Amino acid sequence: MRLNLTVNGEPRQADDVWEGESLLFLLRERLGLPGSKNACEQGECGSCTVYLDGTPVCSCLVAAGQAEGRAVRTVEGLAEEGDLDRVQRAFLEAGAVQCGFCTPGLIVAAHDLLARVPDPSDGEIREALAGNLCRCTGYEAILDAVRTAARR
Amino acid sequence: MCTTYSVTWYDTTTWYDSEEIREVDFLRPSSMAEALAAKAERPDAVPIAGGTDVMVELNFDRTRPDALLDLTGIAELAEWSDTGDGGIRLGAGVSYTRIITELGQRLPGLAMASRTVGSPQIRNRGTVGGNLGAASPAGDTHPVLLATGASVELASTRGLRTVPAEEFYVGVKRSVLAPDELITAVLLPGTTAPQQFSKIGTRNAMVIAVCSFAIALHPEQAATGNSTVGTGIGSAGPTPLRATEAERFLTAELANADQWTSPRALDDSVRRRFGDLVAAAASPIDDVRGSAAYRRHALAVLARRTLGWAWWDYCLERTSRCA
Ligand SMILES: Cc1cc2nc3c(=O)[nH]c(=O)nc-3n(C[C@H](O)[C@H](O)[C@H](O)COP(=O)(O)OP(=O)(O)OC[C@H]3O[C@@H](n4cnc5c(N)ncnc54)[C@H](O)[C@@H]3O)c2cc1C
Ligand code: FES
Ligand code: FES
């Protein structure tokens, strides 16, 4: 079927979309936005986290058809006019990235946290990132990055 | 308008190169009336709300429905309202996150259970309607719905019916929901009395319960002779269960000692007996998440502790004499 949705502020259209496919598949394979990662396809890892109408969700658990008429914001849409978002900059500076597979999802989740809670406690950071798994870093540098971003 | 699209269904395991195709309809009603008409016409259509259960099935090719019925375009499913008698009618499509932020005070037990579901991303999408639709014995809302005496509202073009939560579950992942019906809401009695929910898992986030337990105190029932204690056991039987013997025991204990009007700390022996009766009410099995023996043991502990917390809260609310 044909789908119309807004992605990172732009109206986008996709044809021949199979309804059983996920929003993650639509973004990566049809709309050329491979920032969101597919690591589990079952909601466990958070690597596919995107904003759907302003709310962070696992895009692997949203049916593509459910995104019709909605607004999606992916990790690609966080940088404004070429300037990385403060969370992205803080991840770079803190060295919170190793293989990088978890990074897009963590950045969207942290971005949402800081929009809701400007000065989060460590407990709040952990809670907010509980749905994002990282197999490399051990999380310490990630926590540092979020604390750094919050101070900006 | 309820739009139907006919599309191609690929074999997902090999679907990048497979020529195997299959028709699937994507139904997108924008009102409850349209949704019910669609479900009457296509009882085989699989409803999809938050998708946190359905999409896993689809992604792993465990289900191949001929039609999907998207409920997220129906505004009324995502609303909650006062029932007029202090209770709340919670639309089946209200997310866990909204239950926590908007109803945390008024539905304390359900909000506690909601906080333990998955992760923020899952709570942003997942719904009580979906938890009921899946009817997994491990679903976290079920013990609370049992303990609080909630009912499930079911609708079809044939009409509306309200089923007490206790009668909703009939087997592992099976409920009384008929093929042409949709879950429209959950009706939860109002309360100011303490409620508790607790669950055992390997982590504080993202775990399916090894077992879980909910308790709700109903002091307003003290004068009526009805049970003043509601219970619900999760993940320790083919369906979520009430611990009726434990409720009877505690109701009698609290009445005999005139605890409701002048609450005092509960004897350790009372809390232990309550825990033992809850454990006895369960019929757990051994599985990958835990053994039956562990589940029984853990349930006794959960019941004893949640009773302690709930009773402590009741004492604090009623009097400062409770040590
Ligand atoms: C990573 C992860 C972690 C999870 N953790 C937990 C957890 O901790 N605790 C827990 O209880 N669950 C958990 N779940 C399971 C799931 O999130 C819950 O069961 C949730 O409540 C499902 O709601 P949903 O709206 O996403 O349902 P959907 O996936 O949309 O639907 C679930 C089922 O209900 C049916 N359905 C949905 N709405 C209706 C309706 N209105 N009328 C009739 N049928 C309907 C669907 O057809 C389907 O069979 C988890 C899932 C994932 C992926
Ligand atoms: S790919 Fe979506 S949560 Fe892992
Ligand atoms: S950096 Fe490799 S998974 Fe997080």
Side-chain angles (χ1 to χ4, degrees):
Chain A
M1 71 165 173
R2 169 173 289 182
L3 274 187
N4 284 290
L5 67 163
T6 306
V7 182
N8 298 328
E10 303 273 325
R12 297 292 301 263
Q13 191 170 77
D15 279 313
D16 298 326
V17 174
W18 168 61
E19 270 79 3
E21 83 188 35
S22 64
L23 173 61
L24 176 62
F25 191 89
L26 176 80
L27 291 169
R28 289 179 56 87
E29 310 297 335
R30 300 194 194 278
L31 300 178
L33 291 167
S36 314
K37 301 289 180 244
N38 176 359
C40 74
E41 270 195 311
Q42 51 180 312
E44 297 279 346
C45 76
S47 310
C48 63
T49 304
V50 302
Y51 284 108
L52 179 65
D53 283 346
T55 305
V57 302
C58 295
S59 59
C60 70
L61 299 184
V62 177
Q66 293 184 301
E68 167 72 28
R70 313 255 173 205
V72 176
R73 193 174 180 198
T74 70
V75 71
E76 287 98 335
L78 297 187
E80 281 180 25
E81 290 168 15
D83 283 335
L84 290 184
D85 173 80
R86 62 175 170 163
V87 181
Q88 294 173 307
R89 281 202 313 276
F91 267 66
L92 278 175
E93 287 162 24
V97 180
Q98 286 186 30
C99 80
F101 218 75
C102 66
T103 313
L106 274 159
I107 285 178
V108 175
H111 187 269
D112 169 66
L113 168 69
L114 296 184
R116 287 181 293 111
V117 188
D119 185 22
S121 65
D122 277 7
E124 286 169 319
I125 299 175
R126 282 170 182 270
E127 189 68 43
L129 303 184
N132 293 79
L133 297 181
C134 174
R135 301 306 299 266
C136 306
T137 64
Y139 300 101
E140 283 304 328
I142 292 169
L143 295 179
D144 281 344
V146 180
R147 289 185 206 111
T148 305
R151 281 196 295 271
R152 298 248 160 93
Chain B
M1 254 300 285
C2 178
T3 13
T4 303
Y5 301 87
S6 249
V7 293
T8 307
W9 186 283
Y10 296 87
D11 177 342
T12 46
T13 49
T14 52
W15 80 278
Y16 303 98
D17 51 19
S18 167
E19 287 305 304
E20 189 191 333
I21 52 170
R22 180 163 162 158
E23 294 290 304
V24 62
D25 294 327
F26 198 77
L27 313 173
R28 196 185 291 141
S30 58
S31 72
M32 209 53 228
E34 277 176 15
L36 295 179
K39 194 72 171 119
E41 199 180 314
R42 297 291 302 271
D44 61 327
V46 173
I48 175 165
T52 58
D53 282 315
V54 172
M55 285 306 290
V56 177
E57 299 284 303
L58 288 181
N59 289 347
F60 287 83
D61 210 15
R62 289 183 203 133
T63 325
R64 290 168 158 225
D66 291 324
L68 287 169
L69 180 63
D70 177 20
L71 302 178
T72 55
I74 306 171
E76 53 211 278
L77 274 185
E79 287 164 4
W80 60 266
S81 56
D82 290 294
T83 51
D85 56 2
I88 290 194
R89 181 180 180 279
L90 178 73
V94 178
S95 71
Y96 291 117
T97 301
R98 287 185 52 210
I99 294 171
I100 296 163
T101 53
E102 297 169 27
L103 293 165
Q105 298 292 324
R106 296 187 57 189
L107 301 175
L110 190 63
M112 273 182 207
S114 301
R115 285 187 199 98
T116 76
V117 172
S119 64
Q121 291 93 325
I122 300 296
R123 294 192 288 274
N124 284 343
R125 286 295 281 176
T127 64
V128 177
N131 216 222
L132 285 164
S136 157
D140 284 322
T141 66
H142 312 314
V144 178
L145 300 184
L146 290 173
T148 57
S151 313
V152 186
E153 190 187 277
L154 306 174
S156 69
T157 50
R158 294 175 288 124
L160 200 69
R161 59 177 177 142
T162 303
V163 180
E166 205 181 342
E167 293 163 24
F168 180 79
Y169 317 101
V170 296
V172 179
K173 301 191 177 179
R174 287 192 301 116
S175 71
V176 298
L177 184 70
D180 66 340
E181 279 180 320
L182 291 172
I183 303 161
T184 42
V186 177
L187 303 166
L188 293 119
T191 185
T192 50
Q195 302 178 343
Q196 284 288 339
F197 170 84
S198 198
K199 130 182 182 188
I200 301 271
T202 45
R203 246 186 99 188
N204 275 340
M206 208 65 109
V207 285
I208 305 179
V210 174
C211 60
S212 61
F213 182 72
I215 184 169
L217 303 182
H218 304 299
E220 71 285 353
Q221 301 283 358
T224 67
N226 288 337
S227 181
T228 51
V229 182
T231 58
I233 297 172
S235 218
T239 64
L241 299 162
R242 263 178 72 186
T244 344
E245 268 312 307
E247 291 178 12
R248 257 200 291 274
F249 161 75
L250 194 58
T251 297
E253 277 296 319
L254 295 172
N256 294 343
D258 191 27
Q259 282 277 29
W260 291 111
T261 40
S262 49
R264 301 166 309 280
L266 291 177
D267 254 15
D268 202 38
S269 62
V270 172
R271 292 191 298 125
R272 281 181 188 282
R273 178 83 186 127
F274 179 72
D276 291 344
L277 289 171
V278 167
S283 52
I285 53 165
D286 293 331
D287 70 13
V288 287
R289 278 175 283 138
S291 66
Y294 175 73
R295 285 189 158 102
R296 259 192 222 287
H297 169 77
L299 271 175
V301 177
L302 288 183
R304 176 155 50 83
R305 285 188 190 161
T306 51
L307 169 59
W309 298 328
W311 190 253
W312 176 251
D313 285 344
Y314 183 72
C315 291
L316 286 183
E317 277 165 25
R318 276 312 190 85
T319 166
S320 49
R321 275 187 297 140
C322 190

